[in-house]
C-alpha cells in the first residue's frame, strides 16, 4: 500500500514525511528541496497485536505496513512539465492514494510559491493540474476506443460503445472541474483501468495551528494538524508522547490511510510470531490466504477462524478449541477485520 504525499512547495510535506517515518530528509526552505522522492515504510498502529502476542508467547510481532512517498512539490503548469511536473505526476500515478498537504500557517521566513497563503487556491491548483493530466490521458485513449469499435461484431461493439460513453462522461465531468473519484462506480472503474490520477482516494492535511485554522468547507478525510509540533513531539519516546495524548495525530493519519483504501487486517498468531496481514475488505478466506503465500490460495481446504477478542478471552488456541469457539470456514467465507485465522491446505 503506497501513499503519495503531495502539495505545493514549502507546505510541510517533507516535515510530515519525516515525522511519519522517523527518517531525516531535506526540509530546506526553497522549492524542490525534494527532487527524487523519499520513501519510508511505516507500521500500522494496532494494539490488538501485542495482546495476541502475549497469549501466544510470540517471539516477535509483525504489523501491517504503509509505504509513504514524499513527492516533489507541484507548481502551475506541472501537467506540461513545468518545475518537476513530469516526475511529480509519474510518482503520483504509482501511488494507491494521495495525501495532500495544504498550508494554512503564516511564517515570514518560509516563502510561498504563490506569494501568499490561500488554502482554497492551493487546492484548486493541484486539482487543476491533476485534472488536466487526466484529460490528456483520456484524449489519448478515446481514439483507440473509436478505432476498436469499427468493424467489431455486434455483441462486442455494445461493450465497446458503453466504454466509449463512460470515457466521454468522464471527460465532460473532468472538464467541469470534478475529480474522477466523485463519479459513479462504473465510471470510476473505467478511470482505474487507465490509472487516472484523480480517481485515487484523497486525504487532506491542513498544516497549521488547529485553534487558528478556519476552513469553511473541509473535504471528507481531512485533518487540521500542526505538522512541526507533531514532528517535535515525535522525538519523544512513545511513553512520553502518551503523557500528551492517548493517540497521536500521526497514528490517526496512518490508520485513516489504511481505511481509505478499503483495507482490513486479519491475524495469525503462534510462538514464532504474531502478524497482521493486509487484505481488501470483502476478501474471501481463500483470497486472504494469498496474502501469506500463493499455496494458501491455490491449495486452500478450510480455515479455523476466531475473532481476536474471543481468542484472548479464551486464553489461547487450545483453550478456544476446547471451548468450541473455533469456526471451520470454507473458501467463500468473507474475512472480517480482526479475525485470527489458521489455514488448512
Amino acid at each position: 500500500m503506497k501513499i503519495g504525499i503531495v502539495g505545493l512547495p514549502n507546505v510541510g510535506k517533507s516535515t510530515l514525511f519525516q515525522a511519519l517515518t522517523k527518517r531525516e530528509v531535506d526540509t530546506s526552505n526553497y522549492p524542490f528541496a525534494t527532487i527524487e522522492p523519499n520513501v519510508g515504510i511505516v507500521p500500522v498502529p494496532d494494539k490488538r497485536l501485542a495482546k495476541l502476542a502475549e497469549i501466544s508467547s510470540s517471539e516477535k510481532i509483525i504489523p501491517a505496513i504503509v509505504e509513504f512517498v514524499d513527492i516533489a512539490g507541484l507548481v502551475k503548469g506541472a501537467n506540461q512539465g513545468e518545475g518537476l511536473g513530469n516526475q511529480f505526476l509519474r510518482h503520483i500515478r504509482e501511488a494507491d492514494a494521495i495525501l495532500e498537504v495544504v498550508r494554512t500557517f503564516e511564517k515570514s521566513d518560509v516563502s510561498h510559491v504563490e506569494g501568499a497563503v490561500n488554502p482554497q487556491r492551493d487546492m484548486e491548483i493541484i486539482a487543476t493540474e491533476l485534472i488536466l493530466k487526466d484529460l490528456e490521458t483520456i484524449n489519448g485513449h478515446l481514439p483507440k476506443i473509436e478505432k476498436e469499435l469499427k468493424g467489431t461484431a455486434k455483441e462486442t461493439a455494445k461493450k465497446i460503445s458503453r466504454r466509449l460513453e463512460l470515457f466521454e462522461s468522464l471527460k465532460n465531468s473532468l472538464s467541469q472541474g470534478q475529480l474522477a473519484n466523485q463519479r459513479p462506480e462504473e465510471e470510476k472503474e473505467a478511470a482505474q483501468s487507465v490509472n487516472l490520477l484523480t480517481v485515487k482516494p484523497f486525504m487532506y492535511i491542513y498544516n497549521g495551528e488547529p485553534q487558528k485554522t478556519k476552513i469553511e468547507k473541509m473535504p471528507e478525510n481531512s485533518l487540521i494538524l500542526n505538522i512541526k509540533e507533531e514532528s517535535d513531539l515525535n522525538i519523544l519516546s512513545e511513553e512520553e508522547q502518551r503523557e500528551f495524548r492517548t493517540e497521536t495525530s500521526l497514528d490517526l493519519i496512518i490508520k485513516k490511510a489504511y481505511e481509505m483504501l478499503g483495507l482490513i487486517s486479519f491475524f495469525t498468531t503462534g510462538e514464532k510470531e504474531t502478524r497482521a496481514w493486509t487484505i481488501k475488505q470483502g476478501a474471501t478466506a481463500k483470497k486472504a490466504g494469498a496474502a501469506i503465500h500463493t499455496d494458501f490460495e491455490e491449495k486452500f481446504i478450510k480455515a479455523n477462524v476466531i475473532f481476536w477478542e474471543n481468542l484472548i478471552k479464551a486464553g489461547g488456541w487450545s483453550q478456544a478449541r476446547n471451548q468450541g469457539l473455533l469456526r471451520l470456514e470454507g473458501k467463500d467465507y468473507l474475512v472480517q477485520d480482526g479475525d485470527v485465522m489458521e489455514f488448512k491446505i
Side-chain angles (χ1 to χ4, degrees):
M1 177 173 58
K2 185 182 288 188
I3 311 292
I5 303 175
V6 306
L8 297 180
N10 295 345
V11 297
K13 298 187 315 302
S14 294
T15 304
L16 176 61
F17 176 86
Q18 188 169 284
L20 284 164
T21 62
K22 298 178 174 60
R23 280 187 53 195
E24 289 294 326
V25 295
D26 189 354
T27 56
S28 304
N29 172 27
Y30 57 85
F32 313 124
T34 303
I35 298 177
E36 284 303 313
N38 299 301
V39 179
I41 304 296
V42 180
V44 176
D46 197 328
K47 294 175 182 176
R48 299 172 294 184
L49 283 166
K51 293 176 181 178
L52 288 168
E54 187 178 349
I55 63 160
S56 298
S57 302
S58 302
E59 292 175 15
K60 59 183 178 180
I61 294 174
I62 304 176
I65 57 169
V66 182
E67 183 177 333
F68 283 96
V69 185
D70 177 23
I71 298 171
L74 175 148
V75 293
K76 280 181 183 174
N79 71 94
Q80 297 175 333
E82 287 296 322
L84 296 170
N86 288 330
Q87 283 177 253
F88 174 93
L89 296 165
R90 174 168 54 84
H91 294 309
I92 291 180
R93 204 175 295 283
E94 293 168 0
D96 298 303
I98 297 170
L99 194 165
E100 183 175 333
V101 180
V102 184
R103 177 174 169 178
T104 65
F105 69 87
E106 297 277 0
K107 202 172 181 188
S108 58
D109 60 344
V110 179
S111 61
H112 193 294
V113 289
E114 291 297 317
V117 174
N118 185 326
Q120 190 59 41
R121 176 209 57 210
D122 293 354
M123 290 172 73
E124 286 170 4
I125 288 173
I126 288 186
T128 298
E129 294 304 321
L130 299 183
I131 283 169
L132 288 171
K133 198 67 180 178
D134 279 353
L135 284 169
E136 182 185 305
T137 300
I138 288 176
N139 285 332
H141 197 68
L142 283 173
K144 295 175 186 175
I145 302 175
E146 289 164 354
K147 186 178 179 182
E148 194 180 349
L149 188 58
K150 291 176 183 177
T152 57
K154 190 176 180 180
E155 202 170 299
T156 309
K158 191 176 178 182
K159 291 179 183 177
I160 297 171
S161 293
R162 181 57 184 154
R163 187 168 171 79
L164 186 61
E165 286 172 14
L166 292 170
F167 277 105
E168 285 174 341
S169 180
L170 275 167
K171 181 178 178 179
N172 183 53
S173 59
L174 285 164
S175 299
Q176 293 176 33
Q178 190 176 35
L179 304 182
N181 62 19
Q182 298 168 342
R183 300 300 297 159
E185 201 57 41
E186 197 179 5
E187 284 186 34
K188 284 197 279 190
E189 287 174 9
Q192 286 164 349
S193 71
V194 292
N195 204 7
L196 293 190
L197 301 171
T198 64
V199 76
K200 299 176 188 294
F202 277 69
M203 184 195 305
Y204 299 90
I205 304 296
Y206 292 93
N207 184 14
E209 295 183 37
Q211 63 272 25
K212 293 182 180 179
T213 302
K214 300 287 185 287
I215 307 294
E216 285 185 16
K217 191 177 179 183
M218 287 176 62
E220 192 180 357
N221 291 322
S222 297
L223 290 171
I224 301 172
L225 183 64
N226 186 328
I227 293 174
K228 179 67 169 65
E229 188 178 276
E230 289 292 334
S231 182
D232 291 343
L233 279 174
N234 212 34
I235 63 172
L236 303 175
S237 68
E238 283 191 23
E239 292 74 18
E240 289 170 323
Q241 286 188 51
R242 300 303 171 197
E243 292 177 16
F244 291 91
R245 59 268 171 106
T246 55
E247 181 177 51
T248 71
S249 298
L250 300 178
D251 284 350
L252 190 58
I253 290 171
I254 295 165
K255 288 201 287 190
K256 229 176 181 6
Y258 200 68
E259 292 164 8
M260 189 170 67
L261 286 166
L263 301 172
I264 60 171
S265 291
F266 73 90
F267 306 110
T268 53
T269 186
E271 288 185 8
K272 186 178 178 183
E273 67 179 33
T274 290
R275 182 167 186 155
W277 301 91
T278 303
I279 56 170
K280 278 281 187 187
Q281 194 165 12
T284 62
K286 184 176 179 179
K287 193 69 183 172
I292 300 174
H293 194 279
T294 53
D295 278 355
F296 281 67
E297 181 180 16
E298 292 167 5
K299 300 176 182 179
F300 180 91
I301 299 171
K302 295 281 183 181
N304 277 322
V305 181
I306 183 170
F307 189 59
W308 73 277
E309 281 183 320
N310 296 336
L311 182 60
I312 287 167
K313 285 174 187 173
W317 275 109
S318 59
Q319 295 92 325
R321 187 174 284 107
N322 293 337
Q323 294 171 37
L325 297 175
L326 298 182
R327 307 188 316 273
L328 197 59
E329 300 287 0
K331 63 180 182 179
D332 295 326
Y333 169 71
L334 298 181
V335 179
Q336 303 300 304
D337 183 58
D339 276 347
V340 185
M341 303 182 71
E342 184 182 63
F343 290 85
K344 296 180 182 294
I345 63 169

